[in-house]
Amino acid sequence: MFNRRKFLGSSLLASSGLFLRTSPAKILPQAGSPLVISTWDFGKAANQAAWEILGKNGRALDAVEAGVMVPEADPNNHSVGYGGLPDRDGHVTLDACIMDEKSNCGSVMCLEFIVHPISVARMVMEKTPHVVLTGEGALEFALANGFKKENLLTPESEKIWREWLKNSKYEPVINIENKKYSFAENQMAPGGPFNHDTIGMLAMDSRGDLCGACTTSGMAFKMHGRVGDSPIIGAGLFVDNEIGSATSTGVGEEVIRIVGSHLVVEFMRQGFEPREACRRAVERIVKRDPKKAMDLQVGFLAMRKDGRYGAFCIQKGFTYAVHSNTEDKIYQSESWFS
Ligand code: GLY
């Protein structure tokens, strides 16, 4: 439940100035009024699926699972699930995690042949004593529980990979998620096409409970076995039902180093607004290696227990989608570099 004493503490921080660096005031849903937010433009369709559940007083956990299943099944989304770009050896390997209001969590890493890794992650959470299953073990578990083995490498993704093999140059392209490349344009994209990314989704249901989900095919053309931030609880996703939740997108290695989503939630615990909490996490990454940060994209998205939300990223261009009783919109995140 929402902790009144802690939140009064936060109000004191507000009067002492810690809340001052905030995004412009908006009409916000109140605690207990359903809300879902997710990364990138493709979050809008995912939010719609989540809203089908949240709007009928459904559970946030069911909403985030149903929401992220939309991009997972979309062959035109080359950074999540089916149709995701493969690793450098041609394997589509998926990472996903889910976390509920009681800090239960489940994760799969480097899972092949399953269209909905988020549902396998949920099953790890609900049907095993473990939090994480990886690779072969995760696949065996999925198949034993009725998931179907499918080829996730679509003809278009395979074509892009074969084109990439000609130079085999790995160079992440900033904000590639939002670039609507045709196949021909895609071939000319600097450093190769569609290099990463992720859907991270955070929801609050009508009981005021918070849950989150995060799923990705990870960096395109990564080394076989590479795992990013997305399936790592605390890095790609973190939920604390007393305080708030956070998720990340972008170059996972940088997020893992600072345990980014957990850090954002801890900043909110200290009384910072969601946008400021995200900005402080970005600052950690930028200050660690300012030169490297100039060519990196990482974005954080956060929701606080009172329904306030915010985002911050390194490079301009990160967008996030919001759906509540009062809005269904895509916002541009503020960025470190303008
Ligand atoms: N953020 C997704 C990844 O780095 O794999």
Side-chain angles (χ1 to χ4, degrees):
M1 286 298 290
F2 181 58
N3 185 322
R4 221 178 125 68
R5 198 152 53 94
K6 280 201 175 120
F7 206 70
L8 284 174
S10 300
S11 306
L12 291 177
L13 289 175
S15 55
S16 70
L18 273 174
F19 277 173
L20 283 179
R21 290 178 217 89
T22 63
S23 46
K26 291 176 194 144
I27 299 170
L28 294 162
Q30 297 304 302
S33 166
L35 168 68
V36 57
I37 62 179
S38 59
T39 54
W40 302 107
D41 291 6
F42 53 65
K44 197 170 194 289
N47 285 356
Q48 183 58 47
W51 192 254
E52 300 289 322
I53 293 167
L54 291 175
K56 294 177 189 143
N57 297 327
R59 189 178 170 203
L61 188 71
D62 296 325
V64 293
E65 181 187 12
V68 303
M69 284 171 79
V70 173
E72 280 186 342
D74 181 357
N76 298 316
N77 185 323
H78 291 292
S79 59
V80 182
Y82 176 63
L85 288 177
D87 64 22
R88 65 186 190 181
D89 301 328
H91 302 273
V92 180
T93 66
L94 306 178
D95 297 335
C97 74
I98 194 159
M99 191 162 186
D100 77 6
E101 72 280 1
K102 294 191 176 99
S103 300
N104 296 309
C105 43
S107 160
V108 288
M109 301 182 182
C110 212
L111 173 63
E112 292 185 61
F113 306 117
I114 303 292
V115 175
H116 290 300
I118 198 64
S119 301
V120 185
R122 181 169 177 175
M123 211 170 259
V124 171
M125 173 175 92
E126 292 180 336
K127 291 201 169 175
T128 81
H130 308 303
V131 170
V132 184
L133 291 180
T134 66
E136 279 295 314
L139 179 60
E140 275 170 29
F141 173 75
L143 297 177
N145 282 283
F147 288 86
K148 217 168 91 204
K149 188 170 179 176
E150 290 177 60
N151 176 21
L152 304 182
L153 188 65
T154 57
E156 184 175 90
S157 289
E158 184 173 358
K159 208 166 167 188
I160 296 167
W161 168 62
R162 292 201 181 281
E163 200 57 40
W164 175 83
L165 280 177
K166 290 179 185 165
N167 294 315
S168 305
K169 186 172 170 221
Y170 180 68
E171 193 176 274
V173 179
I174 289 165
N175 296 332
I176 202 77
E177 305 78 6
N178 272 356
K179 294 197 167 79
K180 307 279 188 282
Y181 286 115
S182 67
F183 184 74
E185 286 167 332
N186 182 43
Q187 299 314 296
M188 296 187 297
F194 301 109
N195 260 312
H196 54 95
D197 214 79
T198 306
I199 183 155
M201 175 176 279
L202 309 171
M204 177 165 63
D205 62 29
S206 56
R207 286 162 291 280
D209 283 333
L210 306 178
C211 297
C214 189
T215 175
T216 186
S217 52
M219 281 184 179
F221 322 129
K222 61 197 173 188
M223 289 174 71
H224 185 57
R226 180 264 186 191
V227 170
D229 57 323
S230 302
I232 299 178
I233 299 294
L237 177 72
F238 195 69
V239 177
D240 181 324
N241 204 40
E242 279 197 353
I243 303 297
S245 56
T247 189
S248 60
T249 179
V251 178
E253 282 74 3
E254 302 304 318
V255 178
I256 293 169
R257 282 189 185 99
I258 64 155
V259 199
S261 292
H262 183 260
L263 182 62
V264 170
V265 172
E266 290 308 301
F267 281 136
M268 289 196 286
R269 192 190 308 278
Q270 289 170 24
F272 292 103
E273 292 275 350
R275 177 250 181 224
E276 174 62 10
C278 293
R279 192 197 68 76
R280 284 172 177 252
V282 161
E283 184 175 45
R284 286 269 175 107
I285 295 173
V286 174
K287 286 199 167 162
R288 195 186 76 81
D289 191 339
K291 194 163 175 289
K292 190 174 177 190
M294 291 173 79
D295 296 319
L296 276 181
Q297 177 64 305
V298 168
F300 290 105
L301 179 62
M303 179 189 292
R304 205 170 60 184
K305 186 71 178 175
D306 62 353
R308 189 171 269 273
Y309 57 83
F312 208 86
C313 58
I314 301 181
Q315 313 286 343
K316 221 170 148 192
F318 168 47
T319 57
Y320 62 99
V322 177
H323 198 132
S324 70
N325 280 319
T326 53
E327 62 179 338
D328 178 12
K329 279 193 192 145
I330 293 173
Y331 289 102
Q332 281 283 341
S333 165
E334 289 175 75
S335 54
W336 187 272
F337 298 112
S338 48

